[in-house]
Amino acid sequence: MSRIFQYMSARVVMPHVLHVAPVDPRRATGLTARVYAELEADFGMLAPPVILHSPSPLVMAAAWALLRETLLVPGVLTRAQKEAVALEVSQKNRCPYCVDVHRASLGGLVGVSAVELAMSSPHDASVTSPLNPVVRSLRAIAAGRQELTTLSPTAVAELLGVAVAFEYLNRMVNVFLTDSPLPTDKAPARWTARLIMGSLAKRTPAVGGSFGDHGDTALPPDLQWAEASPHIAAALAGAVGAFERAGHRSVPQEVRGLVEQLVTTSTLSHTWAGSGHLDGAISDLPADLRDVATFALLTAVASYRVPDALVKRIKAHGLADHALVDLAAWATFAAARRVYQLPGN
C-alpha cells in the first residue's frame, strides 16, 4: 500500500470503528495485510464494514469474500441492481451507515431521482426502472412469494447473495460503526459522496480473487439456492466454515445452543427483541452468561438496539476484541443466512 493511502486510512477510516481496535494498515501483517491490500485494489478504500473485523483475521477474510463475490464481482445483475438490493436490506435493518453509503453509490450510478422512484414504487408497472425487478423480487421472496419473481436461478442467487451479505453486514455495522460516514446533510457533501461512491462502484474485480477459502465446508441446505452461482456458493460456504469456527472458539456452548435453537425454530423479529421474550429466553442460563447471550440475540435480531453499556459490561469481564468480533459474527450470520428461505431449502 502507498504511504499516502496508509496515512489516510489510519486518520480517516479507523475512527469509524467502535468497541474494538482495528488493525492499523501501517502495521498489518499476514492475512490481515493481504485482505487490506485487496480491499484497496478492488473496493478502492479500506471499507470500515470489513476492517471492523480485523481483530479476527479469518473472520475478516470471510466477511470480505462474502461482500466481494456478491456485490463487486460482475454477474447477471448490474452493479446498480445489486446496490438497490443492498439499500433495500439496509433500510429494513435500520442501518444508517449502510443506507447512506449505498444510497450514495446508487445515486452516483443512476441518479438520485431514479433511486427514489425505484425504491418507493417497485410494484408500479408504469415505472420502467431496471432496479424495479430486483427490489420487487426481493420483497416477494422475503414475504414467501417466490412465484412472483421473474428472475433466472442465477439472478436469484446473485440477488440473495447480496441480500444475505447485507443482512450480515448491517448487523455488524450497527454494533461496531458510527451512525454514518457522511459528516453533513448539506447538498455539496452529498453530491461529493455520490460522485466518489459512484466512481468506486464502477470497479469490476475478477471472480474468486478474495481470501474466502476456509476449508472444505459444504454448502448447507438452507443456502442451496446459491449453487446457481458457483463463486457466490463458494463465498457462502467459506463464510459458514469461518463463522462456525469463530463460534466454537469464542462463544460459550450454552449461548450457541440457545441462539441456534431460536433462529432455527422461532419467528424472531425486531418486536420480539423488545417485548420481554428475550429476557425469558435467557432466564435459564447461568448469570455470568446472560449478558453474552443478550448481546448475541440482540445482534442477531435487532442490532440497532445493542446498547453501548452492554458491550462495555461484556468487555469488562475480560472478553478480548477478537472474541467480541467472533461472538457477533457467529450470531449475526446464524440469523442472516435464514432470513430468505426458498421452497425446499
Side-chain angles (χ1 to χ4, degrees), residues 138-335:
L138 181 63
R139 292 183 185 180
I141 292 170
R145 301 293 304 277
Q146 185 197 2
E147 73 277 6
L148 297 180
T149 181
T150 59
L151 301 180
S152 69
T154 301
V156 169
E158 293 181 9
L159 169 81
L160 294 185
V162 176
V164 170
F166 280 88
E167 291 287 352
Y168 171 79
L169 289 168
N170 290 164
R171 289 163 166 80
M172 296 296 287
V173 166
N174 273 341
V175 174
F176 291 104
L177 294 186
T178 55
D179 282 346
S180 175
L182 304 183
T184 176
D185 287 331
K186 293 182 179 179
R190 296 287 169 172
W191 180 86
T192 301
R194 288 194 296 271
L195 182 67
I196 294 172
M197 298 307 298
S199 176
L200 293 177
K202 294 175 183 177
R203 292 171 178 247
T204 54
V207 169
S210 51
F211 306 101
D213 182 8
H214 296 282
D216 298 323
T217 304
L219 197 66
D222 59 293
L223 298 174
Q224 290 296 315
W225 46 260
E227 289 185 333
S229 177
H231 66 100
I232 290 176
L236 283 164
V240 170
F243 296 146
E244 281 301 311
R245 280 190 282 279
H248 282 279
R249 180 171 60 232
S250 300
V251 185
Q253 182 177 353
E254 299 95 327
V255 175
R256 291 202 316 271
L258 175 63
V259 174
E260 284 281 8
Q261 176 189 2
L262 289 172
V263 298
T264 56
T265 64
S266 303
T267 302
L268 303 184
S269 66
H270 298 240
T271 304
W272 180 92
S275 60
H277 293 295
L278 192 151
D279 289 340
I282 67 170
S283 61
D284 291 335
L285 290 176
D288 62 338
L289 295 182
R290 289 176 190 167
D291 277 346
V292 171
T294 297
F295 174 81
L297 285 168
L298 276 180
T299 303
V301 178
S303 55
Y304 64 93
R305 288 182 170 173
V306 175
D308 290 347
L310 175 62
V311 182
K312 290 177 181 177
R313 285 203 305 274
I314 293 172
K315 295 196 70 175
H317 287 111
L319 197 68
D321 282 2
H322 76 273
L324 182 62
V325 170
D326 284 352
L327 168 62
W330 175 83
T332 289
F333 194 71

